[in-house]
Amino acid sequence: MMITSAVIFDLDGVLTDTAEFHFIAWQAIANKLDITFDREDNEKLKGVDRENSLKYILAKGNLVVSTTEFELLLKEKNDQYLTLIDEVNPSHLFDGVLNCFTVLKKSNVKIGLASASKNASLVITKLGIEHLFDFIGDAASVANSKPAPDIFLSVAHGLKVSPKNCIGVEDAVAGVSAIKSANMFAVGIGDSKVLTQADLVFPSMSEFDFKRVETAFLLSAT
Ligand code: BG6
Ligand code: MG
């Protein structure tokens, strides 16, 4: 029996290594403000939108800035991020992604994108995979960002499928929480000790095995 109607993917850190570029750009901002920002901090920011990420960094440094300065810092971070992704091309797709999409298409499973990034369209165009998605969510149009379920629910709606027939794929703690709050089956990409809320975890996309996912999904639904 097939219960999966759609698989909804996060972008940064799932389909390509842009999570590292977000880290580099945030670390540069934190350094400039004399605030320590390490990979442990970054783990908490994965999947978190731009404004809330800056709020986290400022709070960590007990720093209060004016609205104008806040906006300038956001722009500076994004400008650096845009410079870092300038070179992104189809060779930067993680191994296993195209193969996974082929398997899903052969199984008549729809493919959605649920990224918190306002740069998501640009990145997937650079990766050359825009045409493979049945629906691409718009981070700017949802009320609440991850860990709220909004972006995953809006993509399920756009795909015209029920959330209970969707699988979400995420590398971030906040993202996995968003999938679970949307009442979807959550596949984590990364470390199972970090992505504790996920129903199933693969170390990387090259290990993503749709048959295993479907079996675990079916078992969880019975
Ligand atoms: C998420 C990333 O996908 O998008 C976060 O995991 C990032 O690190 C967020 O901050 C927002 O991205 P952007 O491109 O809108 O600043
Ligand atoms: Mg991510």
Side-chain angles (χ1 to χ4, degrees), residues 10-14 46-47 170-172:
D10 171 48
L11 170 64
D12 300 314
V14 169
K46 282 185 185 171
E170 266 286 354
D171 69 314

Side-chain angles (χ1 to χ4, degrees), residues 104-117:
L104 295 177
K105 288 200 180 292
K106 276 193 188 140
S107 314
N108 282 321
V109 173
K110 291 181 180 174
I111 300 175
L113 186 76
S115 172
S117 172

Side-chain angles (χ1 to χ4, degrees), residues 10-16 18-19 22 45-48 114-116 146 169-173 175:
D10 171 48
L11 170 64
D12 300 314
V14 169
L15 303 181
T16 187
T18 35
H22 283 295
L45 292 196
K46 282 185 185 171
V48 175
S115 172
K146 299 172 189 176
V169 186
E170 266 286 354
D171 69 314
V173 173

Side-chain angles (χ1 to χ4, degrees), residues 67-222:
T67 313
T68 316
E69 176 72 358
F70 190 85
E71 291 302 323
L72 280 172
L73 289 168
L74 288 181
K75 185 180 178 315
E76 193 178 324
K77 186 271 173 177
N78 198 50
D79 286 347
Q80 177 164 13
Y81 178 70
L82 289 173
T83 308
L84 291 166
I85 62 167
D86 192 43
E87 302 288 306
V88 169
N89 64 56
S91 77
H92 291 95
L93 254 189
F94 277 145
D95 286 348
V97 173
L98 283 183
N99 183 47
C100 168
F101 280 21
T102 305
V103 170
L104 295 177
K105 288 200 180 292
K106 276 193 188 140
S107 314
N108 282 321
V109 173
K110 291 181 180 174
I111 300 175
L113 186 76
S115 172
S117 172
K118 296 186 179 102
N119 296 300
S121 286
L122 173 66
V123 174
I124 59 161
T125 303
K126 281 177 168 293
L127 292 170
I129 54 168
E130 203 171 5
H131 61 289
L132 298 175
F133 291 94
D134 296 292
F135 190 83
I136 293 168
D138 176 16
S141 75
V142 295
N144 306 297
S145 60
K146 299 172 189 176
D150 301 29
I151 187 81
F152 281 94
L153 291 174
S154 77
V155 175
H157 188 258
L159 290 169
K160 299 189 175 62
V161 296
S162 164
K164 69 177 192 312
N165 295 116
C166 291
I167 290 169
V169 186
E170 266 286 354
D171 69 314
V173 173
V176 171
S177 292
I179 297 171
K180 292 317 295 173
S181 301
N183 280 320
M184 297 178 185
F185 185 85
V187 175
I189 301 296
D191 187 343
S192 56
K193 288 189 215 81
V194 175
L195 304 174
T196 51
Q197 255 197 296
D199 297 295
L200 183 65
V201 178
F202 296 110
S204 72
M205 270 306 289
S206 56
E207 275 119 321
F208 185 101
D209 177 347
F210 185 54
K211 268 201 190 133
R212 264 190 69 196
V213 174
E214 271 265 302
T215 308
F217 187 21
L218 264 171
L219 280 173
S220 76
T222 52

